[in-house]
Amino acid sequence: MTQASPSSIDPADVARFSRIAAEWWDPNGKFAPLHVFNPVRLAFIREQALARFGRDPRARAPFEGLRLLDIGCGGGLLSEPMARMGFAVTGVDASERNIGTASTHAAEGGLEIDYRCSTAEALVEAGEAPFDVVLNMEVIEHVADPGAYLRDCARLLAPGGLMIVATLNRTLKSLALAKIGAEYVLRWVPAGTHDWKKFLHPEEIEVFLQDEPVEVQGPFGVTYNPITGRWARSADADVNYMMTVTRPAA
């Protein structure tokens, strides 16, 4: 496996997720919120990719022939459905334990996914061939240098490519709901999972990428309905949101 470069990763966050790596695929375990969150993420990714690449939504594997990078892939909760949609998937994570969990689960399901213990900047430095799609989901709030990290991810995009960024907004509402409520009141995630000061305003995403040859759109808000227990797209981006980053075709 490629050794993880230390420049963008936050060792404390890597260690925190490594300790609970075995629980990635337990829908009732510590990653239960991600299992509930996954349907709205998958629908958004599929919708954006279909539009970007003009693929047939009725096809069994509409994205055959396209390369996808799932950066910060964890246990593979997004990598596996992406592979089933036809993408040639590379999953990258700074935690060897996460990669071990992801590789084992994919093998059990008969899926061929190129999992690597590495980082975005290590891929750039190695001259990795660019990807048609880069998934950057709930990762940027955990890295040491979000600007450098995001620019490295953008440089891994092929001409005509699409990156999707999902993160948390730095607002009083997100402090109350995503930090205090989720970690200490509802205990959806372990205490200390997030550092509210690392949450990002959508405008900061745009500033980080202002000198890159890409176009940024969004935010696209996502909200949780406690009555239905489901996440849905929303005009409210005060807590969770997604953005799209596209590189013009050559």
Side-chain angles (χ1 to χ4, degrees), residues 218-240:
F220 305 93
V222 185
T223 56
Y224 179 73
N225 186 326
I227 297 175
T228 64
R230 295 180 179 179
W231 290 85
R233 291 269 300 278
S234 169
D236 182 356
D238 287 345
V239 181
N240 292 82

Side-chain angles (χ1 to χ4, degrees), residues 44 48 163 165 206 215-220 242-246:
F44 183 80
Q48 293 294 320
M163 176 164 65
V165 181
E206 296 179 0
E215 298 176 2
V216 183
Q217 291 187 318
F220 305 93
M242 294 181 280
M243 301 187 79
T244 62
V245 180
T246 55

